[in-house]
Amino acid sequence: MVEWTEQERNIITSIFSNLDYDDVGPKALIRCLIVYPWTQRYFASFGNLYNADAIKTNPNIQAHGTRVLHGLDRAVKNMDNIKGTYAELSVLHSEKLHVDPDNFKLLADCLTIVIAAKMGSGFTPEMQATFQKFLAVVVSALGRQYH
Amino acid sequence: MLIVYPQTKTYFSHWPDLKAGSAPVTKHGKKIMAGVAQAVAKIDDLTSGLLDLSELHAFQLRVDPANFKILAHCLQVVIATMYPNEFTPEAHVALDKFLSNLALALSEKYR
């Protein structure tokens, strides 16, 4: 069981309530595809990903980035049972999407960087620690149903 | 790094104060950045350029190389907060590539 302090819960809800999903979601996914190019392997059907500009303007990537970020909402709403909340999504990522779970961490790191850029000096070490703890729990939950 | 990854504090138990902004932390941060700058100057041959530093980290400091990755990540987060517009995905991938190679060169002398 993951323990969350009052302060940690507040930090997470505050970050997500001030989030522009349509901006941050795509930015995080785009960054992941550019910084870790091997992640493009999962998006062969998305069209043109041949260079950074193509990735940045690809509408499928745009839509998917927003979708993935909204996927985190359920964790925010169920912080005390993230493991159970993501059981189904974990099976999906393993059985249907065949995503190497190491990639979850890569996307999580890119999301952290995008949020850091947005918040600037407001993204204190304490906020980073809490945010990364939250993402680590999500990443772990998503990798749980792999076998 | 010391706050987000508390296990890294184990390397600095000899310092009286490990809080953000403390004198030893600030001084050491600058020292590390000077090392990164040295690597930038030797970017075309990091392995030989960082030989001394690698020996230092391998034989004296004995820092687990996994921590290089941790510090690299924290460095990138700070850069993102300070230069949000300039730290584009392209800049990010270049820096990440450089820092991974730096870590590799630093780990050369370990075994």
Side-chain angles (χ1 to χ4, degrees):
Chain A
M1 242 304 269
V2 184
E3 300 287 333
W4 301 99
T5 63
E6 198 60 44
Q7 192 198 17
E8 284 171 334
R9 288 175 200 273
N10 291 336
I11 286 176
I12 295 302
T13 38
S14 141
I15 290 178
F16 279 87
S17 54
N18 292 314
L19 213 50
D20 179 355
Y21 285 75
D22 294 320
D23 181 50
V24 172
K27 275 198 172 119
L29 183 57
I30 286 165
R31 194 166 280 255
C32 189
L33 295 172
I34 292 174
V35 180
Y36 309 107
W38 53 93
T39 55
Q40 291 168 26
R41 72 189 304 281
Y42 301 108
F43 301 98
S45 63
F46 275 49
N48 186 0
L49 297 178
Y50 299 134
N51 52 54
D53 284 325
I55 294 173
K56 286 176 187 174
T57 52
N58 185 313
N60 292 323
I61 294 295
Q62 204 80 20
H64 200 69
T66 307
R67 186 175 181 187
V68 167
L69 191 56
H70 275 296
L72 289 177
D73 289 342
R74 24 186 133 177
V76 178
K77 295 197 183 80
N78 291 290
M79 283 177 72
D80 290 312
N81 185 24
I82 293 180
K83 191 164 66 175
T85 305
Y86 280 117
E88 209 183 295
L89 270 176
S90 179
V91 172
L92 175 80
H93 283 77
S94 159
E95 305 300 308
K96 189 155 174 269
L97 304 175
H98 307 291
V99 179
D100 181 344
D102 284 345
N103 292 299
F104 301 147
K105 188 172 186 308
L106 300 180
L107 181 58
D109 283 349
C110 287
L111 183 57
T112 303
I113 299 267
V114 171
I115 302 260
K118 278 229 129 174
M119 295 179 67
S121 52
F123 196 59
T124 61
E126 287 73 28
M127 295 199 75
Q128 183 188 347
T130 303
F131 192 60
Q132 290 196 196
K133 175 180 171 178
F134 173 75
L135 289 179
V137 176
V138 170
V139 163
S140 166
L142 273 177
R144 275 207 114 240
Q145 304 301 328
Y146 279 67
H147 63 93
Chain B
M1 180 188 82
L2 296 171
I3 294 173
V4 181
Y5 303 95
Q7 69 270 23
T8 55
K9 288 194 289 194
T10 55
Y11 290 99
F12 304 101
S13 50
H14 54 287
W15 287 348
D17 186 1
L18 282 169
K19 282 193 287 300
S22 79
V25 172
T26 307
K27 182 166 170 220
H28 202 69
K30 289 184 186 170
K31 194 174 186 179
I32 293 176
M33 281 315 290
V36 175
Q38 185 184 328
V40 173
K42 310 274 181 187
I43 198 170
D44 288 311
D45 190 353
L46 286 170
T47 310
S48 22
L50 295 175
L51 209 60
D52 292 340
L53 278 174
S54 183
E55 281 179 5
L56 176 76
H57 284 79
F59 303 125
Q60 281 174 36
L61 304 176
R62 287 184 273 217
V63 176
D64 187 325
N67 294 298
F68 300 151
K69 206 168 187 294
I70 289 177
L71 180 56
H73 172 69
C74 289
L75 192 54
Q76 289 171 336
V77 170
V78 171
I79 288 179
T81 60
M82 292 174 76
Y83 304 100
N85 297 319
E86 291 86 341
F87 198 51
T88 60
E90 291 87 337
H92 183 167
V93 64
L95 184 59
D96 196 62
K97 178 177 173 180
F98 169 69
L99 291 173
S100 334
N101 282 296
L102 201 169
L104 219 56
L106 220 51
S107 319
E108 271 293 315
K109 290 297 186 187
Y110 273 66
R111 54 180 175 175

